[in-house]
Structures are given as structure tokens and as C-alpha cells.
Amino acid sequence: MTAHTTPAGAPAAGPRAARRRLIRELLLVAGFFTVYKAGRLLSTDRTGEAFRNADWIWDAERALRLPGEGAVQRLLLHGDALVTTANTYYAAVHFPATALFLIWLYVRRPAHYLWTRRVLAVLTGAALVLHLAYPLAPPRMLPAARLIDTGQVYGPTVYRAAPDADTLANQFAAMPSLHFGWALMLAIGVIAATRGGKRSRWGLLWLLHPLVTLLVIVGTANHYWLDAIVAALLLGIALLLVPRPRAGDPDADPADSDTGAAAGADHDADAATVAGPGPGPDTDADTGARGGVHALPHRKSTVETVGAGK
């Protein structure tokens, strides 16, 4: 008779352990986001430097023969409904879409959630460093661009009219555009998490999200083309630095893969101890006994009993 024992190294199962993991993830994401927001506000008083950098970026884009941001804005200004929709997309889709995406990965694709969370952390951390090192006024503030602040004129907007009075957002943190960087990672994450499944073809439709985001951030004059290009380059670096989930990685437990692997090893070792080793040089082949532990005596079958004349 054998008794089942729970391995000491395995994570506790049940709703309580799941709640602990969820709370840990929420605190981790909230803490990182708080540090990022606080760090961005450190460069709000560098107005002169931000406008000098904006002039340089504008001239660099013309030297590179990039299309003018005004071409996209003129398309949006064909109708009030269109430009209002673009402003709403900029203000209301960025954070909720990313949050819902992470929640879906946490529940359905835990291994991909860990990978995506780490990539976003590297991307956002690099963006914070660049925001502090290179303050940049957006094109809606640049006189040479001759663009309309569509958020202020048509609404809705997430920024105050006077950047110096805006205590909730740093309006001089245009480069890189995390709107575009996060949107691109969302599309890549969905495609990677659904690749090979029935929904893989539908996952390609998520590429429309970064495309629409790019047109929105440029058309509303909140970002330059180079803001999106730099965000894509930083995302590429983050993807190279963070290892992708392997094909054999389980997607059943949102716990850290290292913890899960260690727990699995402990469980296998305990299971082997309870079940006993296989036949070896010191094992009785008939009884399966080893080390003085003997099996029950062999009971003769009815055929053997009759054959013996009993």
C-alpha cells in the first residue's frame, strides 16, 4: 500500500496560490508603470531643449525624404467624425488594449505572457531613458510643421493646452512613441501565441492595430514618423534580448517557468521514491524486493493446483 505525498518544492495548488500569483503580477506591473510615469515627469521643465530637438527631427525627416505628417492629417480633416474618431483612438485604446491583451495571455498563454511582459518592460525602460536624455516637443507644438492640435480643436484630448501646467503627462516625451511600440508588440504577441492554431490566420488581422495606431499618432500631430521608427528599433532590440517561449513550454500554469521546472523535478524524484526503483543488480527478479523489503508470496493458480493432484 502506497501513500501519495505532495512534494515540498511544488507550488501550492488551488485558488489561494492563483490569487497570490495574480496579486504579484498586478503589483509588479503597477509598480513598474508608476516608476515610468514618475520618471517621465523629470524632463517636463526642459522646454527650450525640447523645441531645439524638434527642429532637428523635422529637418532630419525632410533630409530623409519622409512623407510630411501633414499629408496624413489632411486625410483626417476631411470630416469631423473621422478626426474625432482618431483622437478617441489615441486617447482611449492604447492602455485598455494592452491591458486586455496581457490579461488574455496571463489566463490562456502563461508562457507567452511572461515573454511579452519582459519584452514590454525592456522596451518601456529603454523609452524612459530616451525620454530623459532627449526631450522632444511633438509636431503639434512645432511652428515649422504647421499642424493642428486635433485633440484641442476637435476633442477628446489627454493633454492640457499648456504643457507646463500638465502635471499628469510629459508632453515633451514624444520619442519614442510607446503608442506605436506597444501596439506593434501586441500584434506580434497575438501572432506568436496563436501560431499554428486555428486562429493563426485571424491573428494577422492584429497587424491592423499598429498600422491604425501609426496613422493616428501622426495624423493627430502627436508624433513624428521617426518616433515610430525608433520605437520599432527599440522593440526589435528587446525581442533579441528576451528569449522567446520554446515550443515545449507549458501554457497551463502562470507561475514562473523556472519555479515550475524545479517543482516538476521534485515531484518526479518523490514519485520515484514512493514507487520504488526498477529492477537492478540487487533486486529479486521474481519478487521485486530490494534492500530487505519483500513482496507478498506467489499464489498458485487453480491450474497449477489441479495439476499437482490437490
Side-chain angles (χ1 to χ4, degrees), residues 77-105:
L77 294 177
H78 275 288
D80 291 357
L82 185 59
V83 67
T84 302
T85 301
N87 289 332
T88 303
Y89 198 93
Y90 181 86
V93 174
H94 176 51
F95 286 110
T98 306
L100 291 174
F101 167 59
L102 290 174
I103 291 172
W104 176 76
L105 287 179

Side-chain angles (χ1 to χ4, degrees), residues 263-296:
D266 290 343
H267 177 75
D268 292 341
D270 287 350
T273 302
V274 172
D282 297 331
T283 304
D284 190 322
D286 294 332
T287 63
R290 181 186 175 107
V293 179
H294 300 281
L296 293 175

Side-chain angles (χ1 to χ4, degrees), residues 41-89:
L41 295 177
L42 294 177
S43 61
T44 54
D45 58 345
R46 299 162 65 182
T47 304
E49 185 179 356
F51 277 96
R52 287 193 298 271
N53 291 335
D55 288 329
W56 190 91
I57 290 294
W58 183 259
D59 293 339
E61 286 191 343
R62 307 293 75 82
L64 294 172
R65 300 185 181 276
L66 294 176
E69 287 81 355
V72 181
Q73 186 171 92
R74 285 191 291 272
L75 293 176
L76 295 181
L77 294 177
H78 275 288
D80 291 357
L82 185 59
V83 67
T84 302
T85 301
N87 289 332
T88 303
Y89 198 93

Side-chain angles (χ1 to χ4, degrees), residues 76-269:
L76 295 181
L77 294 177
H78 275 288
D80 291 357
L82 185 59
V83 67
T84 302
T85 301
N87 289 332
T88 303
Y89 198 93
Y90 181 86
V93 174
H94 176 51
F95 286 110
T98 306
L100 291 174
F101 167 59
L102 290 174
I103 291 172
W104 176 76
L105 287 179
Y106 182 85
V107 175
R108 303 297 300 272
R109 299 288 189 274
H112 286 84
Y113 165 79
L114 291 171
W115 170 63
T116 303
R117 185 195 68 187
R118 291 163 182 164
V119 170
L120 288 177
V122 173
L123 170 63
T124 307
L128 176 59
V129 173
L130 193 52
H131 290 160
L132 296 176
Y134 196 80
L136 179 65
R140 56 187 163 81
M141 297 182 185
L142 187 64
R146 298 180 181 179
L147 297 174
I148 298 174
D149 187 344
T150 60
Q152 296 294 335
V153 176
Y154 297 92
T157 181
V158 295
Y159 303 118
R160 292 188 178 183
D164 295 338
D166 199 336
T167 58
L168 297 178
N170 179 7
Q171 298 191 39
F172 297 140
M175 179 177 287
S177 170
L178 283 182
H179 270 73
F180 180 73
W182 286 14
L184 185 58
M185 184 57 207
L186 190 155
I188 293 174
V190 170
I191 294 172
T194 59
R195 187 175 61 179
K198 296 180 180 178
R199 291 172 293 179
S200 58
R201 290 176 297 178
W202 295 104
L204 295 175
L205 292 177
W206 281 98
L207 289 174
L208 292 176
H209 177 48
L211 177 60
V212 172
T213 299
L214 176 61
L215 296 178
V216 164
I217 64 175
V218 172
T220 58
N222 284 297
H223 287 282
Y224 304 91
W225 293 111
L226 283 177
D227 296 340
I229 293 174
V230 171
L233 291 176
L234 291 178
L235 177 60
I237 294 173
L239 290 171
L240 290 176
L241 293 176
V242 181
R244 286 187 56 183
R246 296 185 300 272
D249 285 349
D251 262 331
D253 192 342
D256 197 310
S257 56
D258 296 335
T259 304
D266 290 343
H267 177 75
D268 292 341

